[in-house]
Amino acid sequence: MQIGKPHEAITRICQASAESVEVRGRDLCSDLMGRLSFTEYFYLLLTGREPTDNQRYFLDLLLIAIAEHGIMPTVAAARMTLAADPDSLQGALAAGLLGCGPVLVGTSERCGKLLAEAQARVTVGEDAKLVAVAMLQDIRKAGGKLPGFGHPVHRPTDPRAERILELADARGVSGPHTAMAQNFRAAAAEVWGKPLVMNVSMPIAAVLLDLGFPIATIKAVPLLARAGGLLAHLAEEQQNPIGFTLAAHAEAAVNYRNDEDDS
């Protein structure tokens, strides 16, 4: 039984034969291997096009910006999984990536949707600064969290975010979405009554959108980046295991309380 409407099954990414591998209409061996960097190849895989110089430059930059941030919960999960099953590198990597959601790592996708919604309103004639204030007021009234703002470590600014914005200006790629991110920064201070730290997720989304990346591809960038960081931690875990130490500290940090203690 087929669920949904029947349609022709098509992929535009790759096909392989005994003699060759074709990727996005290009021969992998004779055209792509030895000519493209992995960053350029990743862009081609995602979009079907080869990147411009700025698209390649900033994709490289953003992958570096988000790949590593210390012993994050995703890293702890990956390391503890490898400690429990040393032969399952792929399982440990998957354990880490499964934690990349809207609280950690995956926030850029939510930022992209927020920026796109705001820019759509500006396109039909609304004032950009007023749009930013109105949208953030709605989020706060609903008790929601503002994606792309706040950080437990980086205060008063996230140095990664500021560097991305600085280079976007320097290379002339800052466009309407980057401008809207700055409007959100000002509006956040007004709506919350204090400055909020713009974290790395907001400029990642803004720059990607200004460079023509589809919204659906935004989350792929931090996921690929964190896969690299996780693999580095797992390589270290194999040589210098700390997974069980992390688990022991987690157990020690939590107090057990019997249900009768609350009665």
Side-chain angles (χ1 to χ4, degrees):
M1 180 182 70
Q2 179 170 322
I3 299 174
K5 295 180 179 180
H7 61 278
E8 183 182 4
I10 295 175
T11 178
R12 302 183 187 279
I13 297 175
C14 178
Q15 70 169 357
S17 66
E19 298 81 17
S20 67
V21 180
E22 182 181 311
V23 179
R24 293 290 193 179
R26 297 154 176 82
D27 188 272
L28 176 69
C29 298
S30 65
D31 184 7
L32 301 179
M33 293 174 64
R35 182 172 69 84
L36 295 187
S37 68
F38 180 73
T39 301
E40 292 167 326
Y41 185 50
F42 178 56
Y43 184 90
L44 174 65
L45 287 171
L46 278 180
T47 68
R49 304 181 303 276
E50 294 185 29
T52 64
D53 286 344
N54 271 333
Q55 287 168 335
R56 177 204 53 76
Y57 177 90
F58 279 96
L59 183 53
D60 255 337
L61 171 72
L62 301 180
L63 288 168
I64 291 170
I66 198 67
E68 182 51 45
H69 206 258
I71 307 294
M72 302 291 289
T74 50
V75 169
R79 280 185 177 263
M80 286 190 286
T81 300
L82 192 67
D85 188 355
D87 293 328
S88 185
L89 178 64
Q90 72 279 9
L93 175 61
L97 289 175
L98 287 171
C100 295
V103 176
L104 291 173
V105 185
T107 320
S108 291
E109 181 181 43
R110 294 180 61 201
C111 292
K113 291 178 180 178
L114 193 70
L115 288 165
E117 179 185 347
Q119 192 54 38
R121 291 174 60 171
V122 172
T123 301
V124 296
E126 295 188 55
D127 180 82
K129 294 180 180 180
L130 295 179
V131 165
V133 171
M135 290 181 66
L136 270 54
Q137 286 175 334
D138 289 343
I139 290 172
R140 191 170 191 201
K141 287 178 183 176
K145 292 185 177 181
L146 178 58
F149 286 87
H151 201 281
V153 176
H154 297 306
R155 299 174 184 173
T157 59
D158 182 337
R160 303 165 299 171
E162 301 309 313
R163 180 61 171 161
I164 292 168
L165 293 172
E166 175 190 350
L167 290 172
D169 286 343
R171 292 183 67 97
V173 304
S174 297
H177 298 95
T178 304
M180 183 56 69
Q182 297 285 22
N183 288 331
F184 281 148
R185 192 203 306 251
E190 178 181 337
V191 173
W192 269 263
K194 60 181 180 180
L196 300 183
V197 177
M198 180 193 289
N199 64 50
V200 70
S201 295
M202 182 60 76
I204 284 177
V207 170
L208 288 174
L209 289 174
D210 280 341
L211 286 169
F213 282 70
I215 291 179
T217 66
I218 290 177
K219 192 174 182 178
V221 175
L223 283 175
L224 177 64
R226 282 300 167 94
L230 287 168
L231 287 169
H233 279 277
L234 294 173
E236 184 180 69
E237 182 69 24
Q238 291 171 330
Q239 301 299 318
N240 180 30
I242 63 171
F244 286 139
T245 302
L246 293 171
H249 281 286
E251 185 176 12
V254 179
N255 294 319
Y256 171 73
R257 181 174 296 165
N258 191 301
D259 288 343
E260 294 181 359
D261 294 339
D262 296 326
S263 60

